[in-house]
Amino acid sequence: MSSLETIETVDVLVIGAGVTGIHQLYRAREAGFSSLVLEAGDGVGGVWYWNRYPGARLDSESYTYGYLFSKELFEGWEWTERFASQAENERYFNYVVDTLDLRRQIRFGARVTSAVFEEDSTTWLVTANDGTVIRARFLVAATGVLSIPAYPEVPGRESFQGVSHHTGLWPDKPVDFTGKRVAVIGTGSSGVQVIPVIADQVESLTVYQRTPNWCTPLANEPLSAKQYQSIKADFERMREMLNESASGFLHQRSSRKAFEDSKEERWEHYEKMWTSPGFSKVISNYADTMTDSAANEDWCEFMAEKIRSIVTDPETAEKLIPKDHGWAAKRPPFTTNYFETYNNPKVSLVDIKSTPITRVTETGIETADGLKEFDIIVWATGFDFGTGALTRLGVRGRNGLALEEHWRAGPRTFLGTMCREFPNFFFPGGPHGAAGNNPRYAEDQVDFIADAIEYMREQGATVMEVPADVEQKWNQMIEELAVHSSFSDGSYFYGTNIPGKARSFLLNPGGRPKLREAMQEVLDSKYARFLS
């Protein structure tokens, strides 16, 4: 570092101005800590700033996704749809930072390139690509689990001379699909959102699919003023229900098992599930849908019948029905008119397992069947989930230990929030978080971190670091419960979509209950052996 560079000093430095980073900044400021956020983008919102592709929207109910720590903040915003679009989510986060007067503590266009723990001062020295250098007592990397776009290893990808965008790095200005020959590569959560939205605009749309997913209707709808007034009036009860929910949703679990009903009764129930909103299909379905393979297959049989009844071409319908995994073995995408889109004569489907992409050329995509030319290629090929952003920050802990090396065989964490050898470093919303309504899980982590550093201030402690045996106990829980998860090895929750990445379960299979149990043990011990 040049001696001419000015080093700023703060108590709490947060990386990332997404849903978790904004909350962490708010807690730090309210506690009287000097604090700052470094944000790589030019605006707030995190995933909702970067993922602005056509059709991008929530699949958690909007009013359960936003912040709940302030009734006034909740009442000052009115969601217009059950599942808000990217644009509305981005507006919401701008509303939050302006209402809470947080914008002046966010530095935009500052991508962190290095974060080094200095043992003599027990501080973190953090450098960004805009020349910013910050010394912080506490470093909170709220970089999210869906921050680093992943591309398949396809020869010639960068040689394409047309328009090419990844859904996770979509440009600010709208892309004009009118009359264009378009390829969409990938049919995960992003691909199945963008495909129906652009299909009517294009001259032709070719979808390249590796693996079909069990897609079901999102069942979005506008929220009337009357509906939202009712939601506001019920705020306290809703907040309590969401706080008690293991998954962070309002959907109620069913106690009934699938084969307690006749087939006719089950199909009637499945029809209700098919048209129910979002994750209710996971939570409110038969109690054994996720745990009994026969019950899971029964639900899949119903969904397969639905797909065949919607898609008029039998060959295309069969390509869209998963054959290698059951319901929720991968994260289930929720869609609007997805299967109906394949009845549009402008839309075609290529199974790249049987017809692999051999290379991308200057003019299009070549498969075993030959070259097809395109004007636009959309890469809807997912993310380096969980650890991708954290291992690219240049984090160096004790004795210069690189985080990416420390986690080469998979992340080792405590609470999905901290790890040994990296004192005073926290990463809420990172690996070993829970599947579900992410802001509800992450707020528990944010509060734990905020309370911990306040306690450190009270006690005059300078360093917090998880003891080795405590970290080991948490990771043992992850490994033991992962085998009972519904998610298969083929899910990106194992990191297997990234070539060379170690196979490791990247969620907390114990969910919020195990998180809170472990947090309570730390609180009951008054952070014994964590502080020095």
Side-chain angles (χ1 to χ4, degrees), residues 210-214 324-333 353 486-493:
R210 183 185 62 179
T211 307
N213 283 291
W214 290 111
D324 63 347
H325 67 277
W327 168 249
K330 297 184 177 183
R331 188 192 188 282
K353 282 189 174 179
S486 68
F487 297 116
S488 70
D489 283 7
S491 166
Y492 62 71
F493 293 137

Side-chain angles (χ1 to χ4, degrees), residues 26-82:
Y26 174 74
R27 282 295 314 264
R29 189 196 66 181
E30 293 302 287
F33 289 106
S34 59
S35 49
L36 180 71
V37 168
L38 296 182
E39 166 56 48
D42 294 325
V44 299
V47 68
W48 301 110
Y49 172 82
W50 298 104
N51 289 257
R52 53 182 70 243
Y53 59 86
R57 67 175 60 249
L58 282 169
D59 53 17
S60 300
E61 280 77 4
S62 310
Y63 43 87
T64 71
Y65 185 88
Y67 299 112
L68 301 178
F69 57 78
S70 164
K71 185 176 182 180
E72 292 72 27
L73 190 67
F74 184 86
E75 290 182 337
W77 181 263
E78 290 198 5
W79 296 101
T80 64
E81 295 180 272
R82 181 187 289 273

